[in-house]
DNA sequence: TTAGTTGCAAAGCTTTTGCACCTCG
DNA sequence: CGAGGTGCAAAAGCTTTGCAACTAA
């Protein structure tokens, strides 16, 4: 935890930015909720517990900054709000999402299934892949089980 | 063209909705710009040429309706606006996007590269895939060519 | 000093909603 | 009549921005 914060601090400082108390609190919230995909509002409410004086604009600015630095990834699931995801150590986003259209749940697949495709893009389309995003919409195993119970 | 409009008309009528002149004009714009990913505002401006009296709210309501009926797909590329894509005959969205982070262009890959993955999801995760979305962010061949020229 | 940062409020944007009016079987 | 549809304007949300004040090298 502390090591990861130090690293982010260094990344910021290398570009002339500071890890202010507000920013540190924001990063800690992201670290503590790494499994979730928090919206700016979510982050704001959680940060307020640590730093009650913080403003929503600061949270937005911090998330935007972290996003530019590729510390977090800005995600969009089409529900009208941006969500933010801490990037893994590899600095690449190697997971995919299973979004259930019935219950709205979202599961993750933490493997990266796209490496062969990225190689093909490089060769066939001369496209250099920096990142990707793969979401599946469908029916999750829990909802399928429910349907089987009822049917 | 007329055949596809008739089909959409029937789909609407089967659910008790009407293909009003405004809706038809909207659908025609979508058909005429099938290659693009128009925003609601884009559609609005194009529809205004055919039906100047139309309101933006009607366009939004039409796109929402067509989206619910799976005639169009609502897309989100993270640029703050929803975009709308007419669905193909197969009623499945079998293409992927190459989004260039330098020039903002978006190319499409019209093949579906994910069928093996969808089979794996079905087996390993018991997840029924209804649709998917795959976007790659990176540098397109045009920008790469420019860089090579300059360097 | 100087560049970066912050909280607040206001503004900006896209999208949705309320409502009176209209259409058509 | 009654359900569906429309245009307009207002409202609703999320996000960004202007600004004066603050911080730390």
């Amino acid at each position: 935890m502390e090591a990861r914060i130090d690293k982010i601090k260094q990344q910021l400082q290398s570009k002339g930015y500071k890890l202010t108390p507000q920013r540190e609190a924001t990063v800690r919230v992201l670290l503590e909720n790494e499994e979730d995909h928090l919206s700016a509002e979510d982050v704001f409410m959680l940060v307020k517990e640590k730093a009650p004086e913080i403003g929503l604009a600061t949270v937005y600015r911090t998330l935007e900054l972290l996003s530019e630095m590729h510390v977090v990834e800005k995600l969009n699931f089409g529900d009208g709000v941006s969500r933010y995801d801490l990037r893994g150590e590899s600095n690449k986003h190697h997971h995919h999402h299973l979004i259930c259209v019935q219950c709205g749940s979202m599961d993750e697949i933490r493997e990266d299934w796209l490496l062969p495709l990225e190689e093909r893009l490089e060769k066939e389309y001369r496209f250099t892949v920096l990142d990707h995003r793969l979401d599946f919409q469908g029916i999750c195993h829990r909802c399928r089980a429910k349907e089987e119970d009822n049917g």
Side-chain angles (χ1 to χ4, degrees), chain A residues 79-118:
Chain A
D79 61 349
V81 297
S82 293
R83 297 178 177 280
Y84 299 85
D85 221 24
L86 214 49
R87 284 200 170 203
E89 288 300 295
S90 73
N91 217 24
K92 264 221 161 194
H93 195 239
H94 284 330
H95 66 254
H96 316 309
H97 297 110
L98 301 182
I99 302 165
C100 181
V101 299
Q102 287 194 8
C103 67
S105 69
M106 195 183 60
D107 296 322
E108 285 188 4
I109 301 176
R110 296 194 160 271
E111 311 165 66
D112 188 356
W113 290 356
L114 297 184
L115 285 176
L117 272 59
E118 292 185 359

Side-chain angles (χ1 to χ4, degrees), chain A residues 43-58:
Chain A
V43 174
F44 177 55
M45 290 192 303
L46 291 166
V47 175
K48 271 212 143 176
E49 295 171 8
K50 294 177 195 292
E53 76 292 353
I54 199 171
L56 180 55
T58 299

